[in-house]
RNA sequence: CGGGGCGUAGCGCAGUUUGGUAGCGCGUACGGUUCGGGACCGUAAGGUCGGAGGUUCGAAUCCUCUCGCCCCGACCA
């Protein structure tokens, strides 16, 4: 690498992010504009995210399937607001096998329509409900402005699609899934999130209600990190998804959809990373522990590596790697693994071998402060405890940062400066006009109306009208 | 898609104003000395200067078009 140090996070957050993604070998630019290559280390992180989410989906009765990449164009057009929302960003295939197609095929931007088509065939009776299917796949949206992980033409995600007999069940499912996302973000990724409702303007195209988890990045901007949509009967009506109820009456189903994408990797980077590089939460890190051996002579090397391999064996319950690379100094390796965000490093040198100790170095506390000497005896327990502490402290640190950058502005002037550095937590009268004016004047959007609302009422931060709901406003990715 | 910036070796850059045989640092390979926070010396490999056209005896350099990336806007997971 040309530059050893990353651009400073505080001076140029965007450059810091771009460099970090490349230097940590999470992803690379593809030869096609706006597309990315997810490199093995980045994909390993994604696989851990997949495992954490997939387990939660299965535990709540969902099953995985796979629907086609290509969708007949007419399908997209069946739901009015859906086509309006997505048509500007569709990739369309017009030719196949050297021939012009009779009907163009859309590369899926999301699969509500093609799944709706199947659900209409599969669902006949209330006994077929609920139908709870998820798929892990890639989708394409022709975005104008792209950024690795955060917004690319092609991205990877999961999309869950469910059908229910009643509005109440669909709403319960929608809320259950956003809560699963919250639980995942908080407990696996150590990313604090605010769970709330999207305003009508920010809703998914075709949804009656969109719930979101919103996180604050290290520059104070918001990132929508997962969404769950109550689609009402919109798609059921467009695709004739119907069932006979217990009384023999034909009814339209109530459907939901929900997704988390590789964008979440961007959230992990921007929430936890520092000027040294990535910091990964232990529960998701591809490598939880890296062992760096330190030696000079051949005799030292032999004894140190023997000890290091012994420690590795004792840590079999963790995701652990031993850096045996020749020709790189320990100092180089320290920096290298810090760039990659490995949460815990174990240093083993001749002095440690002699004393029967190892050095634990926490990634979340740079330099000497994060180092401790522990006896080799019982190292697995110390590692487990330290990883738990790192997991918790990452969350606490991110939460404290968010709180320090969240204001409850007294007036609109204070609101404007609040959204320059973080979130504004303000009463909103509920009108789309106020929301729009705020966006035009401050670039801040209404991120969500949290499900947890304070008691009492206030006045709209923009128009001063009586307001019952308090919302988060912020500049967003 | 509008405004701005930038494309020269794997990476970071100089050279472009004033046209004249392509350079530096890092990295890479090899040899040696090193190794508890990004080691050092030596040798070597590596570039149709983003692409296409044009002007010229001669283009990285001037002109036209085009592609890509970054930043700022409009749109979004």
């Amino acid at each position: 690498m040309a530059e050893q140090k990353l651009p400073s996070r505080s001076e140029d957050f965007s450059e810091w992010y771009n460099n970090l993604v490349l230097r940590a070998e999470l992803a690379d630019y593809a030869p096609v504009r706006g597309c990315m290559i997810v490199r093995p280390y980045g994909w390993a992180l994604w696989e851990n995210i997949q495992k954490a989410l997939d387990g939660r989906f299965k535990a709540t009765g969902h099953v995985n399937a796979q629907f086609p990449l290509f969708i007949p164009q007419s399908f997209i057009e069946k739901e009015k607001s859906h086509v309006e929302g997505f048509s500007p960003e569709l990739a369309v295939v017009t030719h196949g096998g050297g021939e012009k197609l009779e009907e163009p095929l859309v590369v899926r931007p999301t699969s509500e329509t093609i799944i709706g088509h199947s659900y209409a065939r599969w669902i006949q009776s209330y006994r077929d409900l609920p139908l709870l299917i998820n798929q892990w796949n890639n989708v394409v949206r022709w975005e104008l402005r792209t950024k690795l992980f955060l917004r690319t033409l092609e991205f990877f995600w999961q999309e869950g699609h469910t059908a229910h007999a009643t509005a109440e069940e669909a709403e319960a499912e929608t809320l259950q899934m956003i809560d699963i996302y919250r639980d995942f973000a908080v407990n696996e990724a150590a990313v604090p999130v605010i769970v709330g409702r999207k305003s009508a303007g920010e809703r998914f195209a075709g949804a009656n209600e969109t719930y979101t988890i919103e996180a604050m990045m290290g520059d104070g901007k918001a990132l929508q990190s997962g969404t769950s949509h109550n689609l009402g009967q919109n798609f059921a009506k467009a695709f004739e998804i119907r069932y006979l109820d217990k009384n023999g009456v034909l009814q339209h189903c109530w459907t939901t959809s929900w997704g988390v994408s590789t964008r979440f990797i961007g959230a992990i980077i921007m929430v936890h990373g520092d000027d040294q590089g990535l910091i990964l939460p232990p529960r998701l890190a591809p490598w939880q522990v890296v062992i760096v051996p330190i030696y000079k002579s051949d005799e030292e090397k032999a004894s140190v590596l023997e000890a290091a391999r012994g420690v590795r064996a004792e840590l079999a319950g963790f995701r652990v790697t031993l850096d045996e690379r020749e020709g790189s100094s320990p100092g180089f390796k320290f920096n290298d693994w810090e760039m990659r965000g490995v949460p815990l490093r174990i240093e083993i040198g001749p002095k440690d071998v002699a004393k029967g100790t190892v050095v634990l170095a926490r990634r979340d506390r740079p330099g000497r402060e994060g180092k401790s000497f522990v006896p080799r005896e019982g190292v697995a327990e110390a590692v487990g405890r330290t990883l738990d502490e790192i997991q918790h402290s990452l969350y606490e640190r991110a939460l404290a940062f968010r709180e320090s950058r969240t204001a409850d502005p007294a007036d609109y002037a204070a609101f404007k400066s609040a959204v320059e550095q973080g979130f504004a937590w303000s009463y909103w009268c509920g009108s789309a006009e106020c929301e729009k004016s705020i966006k035009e004047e401050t670039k801040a959007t209404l991120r969500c109306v949290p499900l947890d609302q304070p008691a009492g009422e206030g006045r709209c931060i923009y128009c001063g009208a009586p307001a019952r709901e308090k919302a988060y406003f912020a500049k967003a990715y």
Side-chain angles (χ1 to χ4, degrees):
Chain A
M1 286 295 146
E3 305 290 327
Q4 291 194 327
K5 288 214 181 310
L6 286 170
S8 146
R9 192 169 178 268
S10 53
E11 279 170 31
D12 193 339
F13 194 82
S14 183
E15 272 303 294
W16 168 83
Y17 177 87
N18 291 332
N19 276 273
L20 176 49
V21 169
L22 299 176
R23 295 271 303 273
E25 298 183 352
L26 294 173
D28 200 357
Y29 291 102
V32 179
R33 179 193 80 83
C35 293
M36 70 172 165
I37 295 157
V38 183
R39 299 185 66 173
Y41 192 58
W43 196 257
L45 176 57
W46 180 237
E47 285 177 336
N48 287 339
I49 292 171
Q50 286 184 302
K51 273 179 225 155
L53 285 172
D54 205 59
R56 286 166 167 80
F57 299 159
K58 302 273 172 65
T60 44
H62 302 85
V63 292
N64 286 332
Q66 197 61 218
F67 289 83
L69 172 69
F70 296 128
I71 299 177
Q73 190 165 50
S74 57
F75 279 30
I76 301 283
E77 289 160 3
K78 283 192 183 180
E79 212 287 330
K80 188 166 168 289
S81 57
H82 193 64
V83 63
E84 282 169 2
F86 278 109
S87 56
E89 50 186 271
L90 294 179
V92 182
V93 177
T94 57
H95 289 71
E99 305 261 322
K100 185 166 188 224
L101 299 176
E102 259 183 55
E103 180 183 356
L105 295 171
V106 168
V107 181
R108 62 181 169 216
T110 178
S111 303
E112 275 75 7
T113 58
I114 200 158
I115 289 179
H117 171 85
S118 296
Y119 280 15
R121 289 153 35 99
W122 297 343
I123 296 168
Q124 310 287 331
S125 151
Y126 70 91
R127 292 192 173 90
D128 299 323
L129 298 173
L131 186 54
L132 309 171
I133 296 180
N134 175 65
Q135 67 171 341
W136 292 94
N137 64 8
N138 55 343
V139 290
V140 168
R141 298 178 188 178
W142 214 261
E143 302 291 349
L144 298 176
R145 210 170 137 193
T146 60
K147 199 173 180 72
L148 293 171
F149 287 116
L150 299 183
R151 189 178 302 101
T152 46
L153 299 199
E154 179 194 26
F155 61 91
F156 306 88
W157 73 343
Q158 55 72 214
E159 46 175 327
H161 296 270
T162 69
H164 306 264
T166 66
E168 292 70 29
E169 279 180 41
E171 179 68 5
E173 168 78 3
T174 313
L175 287 168
Q176 171 184 254
M177 297 323 289
I178 201 66
D179 192 60
I180 281 177
Y181 290 157
R182 179 203 58 76
D183 178 59
F184 160 78
V186 168
N187 293 311
E188 303 286 343
V191 169
V193 292
I194 294 158
V195 183
R197 240 175 337 104
K198 284 290 189 188
S199 65
E202 299 278 333
R203 235 175 248 153
F204 175 76
N208 286 0
E209 199 73 87
T210 288
Y211 297 100
T212 177
I213 50 171
E214 296 284 327
M216 182 188 282
M217 303 298 103
D219 60 352
K221 287 167 80 172
L223 184 76
Q224 178 175 310
S225 305
T227 48
S228 182
H229 315 292
N230 186 334
L231 305 174
Q233 293 180 309
N234 303 334
F235 286 88
K237 286 179 176 164
F239 287 88
E240 295 293 352
I241 309 171
R242 295 183 295 185
Y243 72 100
L244 272 176
D245 70 15
K246 287 179 184 171
N247 304 315
V249 180
L250 197 57
Q251 305 259 20
H252 282 107
C253 290
W254 302 79
T255 66
T256 82
S257 67
W258 27 273
V260 159
S261 75
T262 39
R263 166 180 274 191
F264 204 94
I265 292 176
I268 290 171
I269 298 166
M270 290 192 288
V271 168
H272 298 310
D274 66 13
D275 280 356
Q276 291 299 309
L278 204 54
I279 301 180
L280 293 176
R283 292 183 63 90
L284 294 178
W287 298 119
Q288 296 172 307
V289 180
V290 59
I291 303 169
V292 177
I294 297 157
Y295 49 79
K296 293 190 175 83
S297 64
D298 281 349
E299 302 97 273
E300 283 180 356
K301 180 180 173 183
S303 62
V304 164
L305 280 182
E306 189 195 349
R309 287 172 185 148
V311 170
R312 180 176 61 183
E314 282 174 54
L315 298 178
F318 301 94
R319 297 187 289 272
V320 55
T321 184
L322 169 59
D323 188 348
E324 294 196 51
R325 282 179 293 180
E326 303 278 351
S328 294
S329 68
F332 177 87
K333 291 177 179 178
F334 294 170
N335 285 281
D336 194 42
W337 290 109
E338 282 168 6
M339 182 68 75
R340 286 168 173 72
V342 175
L344 187 63
R345 178 178 69 240
I346 296 180
E347 303 168 13
I348 302 179
K351 294 173 200 165
D352 301 299
V353 173
K355 288 187 291 182
T357 59
V358 299
V359 176
L360 299 190
R362 293 175 55 151
R363 178 62 184 86
D364 61 332
R365 293 187 193 161
R368 186 158 297 174
E369 189 207 342
K371 289 199 187 190
S372 57
F373 295 85
V374 304
R376 260 202 61 181
E377 201 82 11
V379 67
E381 194 203 340
V383 164
R385 193 175 56 242
T386 308
L387 288 174
D388 283 346
E389 283 174 20
I390 294 169
Q391 181 82 28
H392 286 118
S393 85
L394 286 177
Y395 180 81
E396 293 302 328
R397 182 159 82 183
L399 182 62
F401 176 79
R402 190 186 78 195
E403 287 174 349
S404 76
R405 294 282 197 109
T406 299
D408 188 343
D411 53 31
Y412 190 56
F415 177 95
K416 282 199 251 187
S417 60
V419 297
E420 286 305 312
Q421 50 93 54
F423 290 3
W425 168 230
S426 297
Y427 277 101
W428 170 55
C429 65
S431 89
E433 285 73 36
C434 288
E435 183 187 359
K436 193 172 162 225
S437 300
I438 288 170
K439 185 176 177 183
E440 282 168 3
E441 292 169 23
T442 70
K443 314 286 182 216
T445 51
L446 201 168
R447 300 316 302 159
C448 69
V449 179
L451 299 187
D452 293 331
Q453 285 286 326
E457 297 186 0
R459 294 196 167 272
C460 178
I461 191 69
Y462 189 77
C463 69
R468 271 177 302 179
E469 289 182 324
K470 221 168 173 183
Y472 283 98
F473 294 83
K475 294 186 182 182
Y477 279 98

